[in-house]
Amino acid sequence: MSHSSDAWWRTAVIYQIYIRSFADSDGDGIGDLAGIRSRLPYLADLGVDAIWVTPFYPSPMADGGYDVADYRDIDPLFGSLAEAEKLVEEAHASGLRVVLDLVPNHTSDQHAWFRAALASSPGSPARARYIFREGRGPNGEQPPNDWLSVFGGPAWQRVPDGQWYLHLFAPEQPDLDWTHPEVIEEFHDVLRFWLDRGVDGFRIDVAHGLAKDPEMPDVGEEPEDILEPTKRIDHPFWDRDEVHDVYRGWRQVTDSYAGDRMLVGEAWVATAERRARYVRGDELHSAFNFDFLKSDWDAGALRTVIDRCLVADSAVGAPTTWVLANHDVEREVTRYGGGETGLRRARAAALLMLALPGGAYVYQGEELGLEEITDLPDELLQDPTWKRSGHTVRGRDGCRVPVPWSTDGPSLGFGAGEPWLPQLAHWADLSVQAQDGATGSTLDLYRSALRLRRRLLEGASLTWLDAPPTALVLRRNDGPDAVVCAVNLGPEPLPIPDHEEVLLASGPVDDVVPADTAVWLRVT
Ligand code: NOJ
């Protein structure tokens, strides 16, 4: 088994839809499936190849839907199973593939299995699907070990009979025991349930976290190091070797279906080489490349990341998958310095990302140049991190604010009601309506880049050309189709490389590429 060389996912641009914030059809302030369906023409016109829809399953929403109570249905907030089926059908008719979000590390505490586990006694088969342990101390009143939850506080919750259960995320998200055959079989079945309905792939939540050290040893480090999956390789719950068996099993399931179904892993791991282990020929098809997202706006750092990731992934025959943003990280306009500088850099970064070989992700609103909203009112914050950190860490709501579609209306076209998080007034000027057809707008830049990329940039070759240390100049394709991407990350103007034609630029260019600007050039 190996990765086929012309499969769609190798070069696809996949648009991430955070369903709660994309488009609200019924005015309840929360995005839904009908909202997505109504915006398929926009997405097809944008020029992306596929959509990834964040979890839409029945859920108490303790973590925005990443606490799944039933993997085979749709939460009424978002619609119905019939509507999900229609979404797949209509997306396909619009030329878009559909990737669902699968959450295998944990269920909701309202999932039938966990309710059964709580209703059963210690040591019962129902508890064996989760990770229940006795506590430490004379009466077991101390957690079984020192593991911490990603959202703050201990990773263990005590139940009335005295046992503790593991939750690497919120207490409402109990971790499954992935050594249990029923857990393995259940997820094969869930995959088949959706594959039978025509979905093209799955994004795997916390792909690096499913396997735990059976000895459950203390981590014994500073709390922040315990949770940092990228700090060490020998970790009791992140990136353990056993997790790869799970993906080998899943790969057999997707391979048994026609039509290049794909699996993309959310794997936060220590190095590009460790990540490449997830995309070996008989495991996942791709994995988000978070090194690119985490890199500073620095030519040397970015070049190192790009080279290292390309080498690591190509060693196992997989494409690299570039990411600038998602619903868990600060929006890149803000990350790169905010204001005009941040936006200029974000636009240049988009041209760099879309010029690289492999796949790429666009997070809703990225194509509009939205910034992080950092001062949302405390009482509206919903990320569990806010509560679990004792109101010290505000969490990720600032990158999850509903998309502005039009220049006016109660939620700038997001829906008829008040949106679940308030937009900024100036987002009217960033709305799709305001940017549509406006030459030089960020939306226009993304549309143009995606069209050109489809036509000119699907090959695998990349050659670095000479450039000053504060610039990146790379060539894609050889021969008559060659394209050069030049990015100026420094303060001094960069002389524009020799070219036949300027194909696209993230800002005004003439015989120089100004600071924080990128350009695509046709060369011979
Ligand atoms: C990663 C998801 O992207 C994030 O939003 C979620 O909180 C955690 N996994 C837990 O499921």
Side-chain angles (χ1 to χ4, degrees):
M1 216 180 310
S2 69
H3 300 311
S4 63
S5 60
D6 57 353
W8 67 274
W9 44 265
R10 298 191 77 91
T11 54
V13 178
I14 302 183
Y15 187 94
Q16 182 190 350
I17 295 181
Y18 189 69
I19 184 167
R20 295 198 295 165
S21 304
F22 186 63
D24 168 21
S25 72
D26 58 7
D28 66 357
I30 297 172
D32 46 39
L33 285 170
I36 300 177
R37 288 168 56 212
S38 73
R39 298 295 180 182
L40 289 173
Y42 167 80
L43 296 168
D45 181 54
L46 180 60
V48 295
D49 302 291
I51 54 174
W52 147 31
V53 185
T54 57
F56 52 19
Y57 317 101
S59 164
M61 303 290 160
D63 181 22
Y66 283 93
D67 46 324
V68 179
D70 179 354
Y71 292 87
R72 296 178 183 80
D73 206 349
I74 303 294
D75 196 287
L77 254 187
F78 301 132
S80 63
L81 187 55
E83 272 183 290
E85 289 170 350
K86 272 195 200 141
L87 171 67
V88 175
E89 206 178 289
E90 290 168 5
H92 286 170
S94 308
L96 296 164
R97 310 225 181 207
V98 180
V99 174
L100 301 189
D101 208 319
L102 191 70
V103 188
N105 180 65
H106 41 264
T107 68
S108 160
D109 62 351
Q110 296 308 309
H111 189 283
W113 275 8
F114 194 71
R115 290 158 76 114
L118 287 189
S120 308
S121 48
S124 58
R127 288 214 174 167
R129 297 173 185 135
Y130 292 88
I131 303 175
F132 280 85
R133 292 288 183 278
E134 299 302 329
R136 293 200 284 208
N139 300 309
E141 72 281 1
Q142 300 295 324
N145 64 26
D146 68 358
W147 297 3
L148 292 182
S149 141
V150 173
F151 295 149
W156 295 94
Q157 178 79 16
R158 202 167 194 200
V159 299
D161 58 44
Q163 277 206 315
W164 298 74
Y165 69 85
L166 180 72
H167 59 89
L168 290 182
F169 294 87
E172 297 87 351
Q173 295 167 296
D175 281 51
L176 286 164
D177 183 342
W178 272 91
T179 63
H180 197 300
E182 283 178 27
V183 173
I184 293 168
E185 191 41 49
E186 168 69 358
F187 275 84
H188 285 190
D189 202 60
V190 168
L191 288 172
R192 287 192 208 103
F193 179 88
W194 292 106
L195 290 166
D196 287 342
R197 282 165 178 73
V199 309
D200 300 282
F202 300 90
R203 175 261 187 191
I204 316 303
D205 190 60
V206 203
H208 56 300
L210 273 49
K212 280 84 183 175
D213 185 335
E215 302 297 321
M216 301 264 146
D218 281 342
V219 183
E221 294 174 8
E222 291 303 313
E224 53 274 20
D225 290 344
I226 298 178
L227 289 172
E228 185 42 79
T230 56
K231 283 248 167 81
R232 58 183 266 197
I233 286 169
D234 170 28
H235 196 285
F237 54 83
W238 295 140
D239 191 23
R240 295 183 62 76
D241 286 349
E242 305 88 296
V243 83
H244 296 283
D245 292 336
V246 174
Y247 303 131
R248 290 193 185 99
W250 291 10
R251 181 61 181 262
Q252 288 178 9
V253 175
T254 54
D255 276 353
S256 70
Y257 281 78
D260 277 335
R261 318 293 177 106
M262 74 92 159
L263 301 164
V264 52
E266 184 212 22
W268 295 89
V269 295
T271 62
E273 294 72 24
R274 292 295 295 186
R275 190 176 50 246
R277 292 159 52 93
Y278 288 75
V279 291
R280 291 176 288 199
D282 60 349
E283 298 192 40
L284 305 180
H285 301 80
S286 70
F288 297 101
N289 174 352
F290 295 124
D291 301 342
F292 188 70
L293 173 155
K294 283 187 299 179
S295 173
D296 288 337
W297 184 242
D298 175 88
L302 279 165
R303 180 166 168 168
T304 303
V305 161
I306 292 167
D307 280 339
R308 193 162 173 185
C309 294
L310 287 173
V311 168
D313 287 325
S314 66
V316 292
T320 294
T321 300
W322 310 99
V323 188
L324 277 176
N326 64 33
H327 65 294
D328 291 330
V329 299
E330 191 176 42
R331 282 197 179 268
E332 70 280 17
V333 170
T334 309
R335 222 169 55 223
Y336 289 144
E340 271 180 36
T341 303
L343 181 58
R344 240 187 0 258
R345 290 178 177 170
R347 290 166 55 103
L351 286 199
L352 172 62
M353 171 175 84
L354 294 173
L356 296 173
Y361 281 79
V362 173
Y363 173 48
Q364 66 185 37
E366 178 180 329
E367 79 281 20
L368 304 176
L370 298 186
E371 72 266 52
E372 183 84 4
I373 301 192
T374 50
D375 57 355
L376 289 166
D378 291 0
E379 64 280 9
L380 294 183
L381 296 181
Q382 290 197 17
D383 185 341
T385 307
W386 175 237
K387 189 166 147 219
R388 300 271 307 161
S389 69
H391 297 162
T392 56
V393 183
R394 298 183 67 75
R396 303 159 292 175
D397 291 313
C399 63
R400 298 175 174 181
V401 177
V403 169
W405 291 95
S406 55
T407 50
D408 53 21
S411 59
L412 301 176
F414 167 67
E418 199 175 323
W420 69 280
L421 289 172
Q423 299 144 318
L424 294 175
H426 85 92
W427 280 18
D429 301 332
L430 296 178
S431 66
V432 172
Q433 187 185 8
Q435 299 197 43
D436 192 13
T439 308
S441 69
T442 304
L443 178 56
D444 181 50
L445 180 76
Y446 268 82
R447 277 186 182 145
S448 305
L450 291 168
R451 274 182 182 70
L452 283 167
R453 178 185 153 97
R454 251 188 206 166
R455 194 154 61 81
L456 297 171
L457 291 170
E458 297 221 320
S461 77
L462 178 154
T463 313
W464 293 107
L465 304 183
D466 284 344
T470 52
L472 295 172
V473 182
L474 62 94
R475 180 186 173 107
R476 293 289 313 280
N477 312 334
D478 291 318
D481 289 337
V483 174
V484 162
C485 171
V487 192
N488 183 4
L489 299 97
E492 302 304 328
L494 171 77
I496 197 162
D498 288 342
H499 60 279
E500 295 287 316
E501 181 191 353
V502 174
L503 294 166
L504 188 62
S506 67
V509 294
D510 41 41
D511 48 356
V512 296
V513 181
D516 299 325
T517 302
V519 61
W520 286 3
L521 304 166
R522 192 168 65 76
V523 298
T524 45

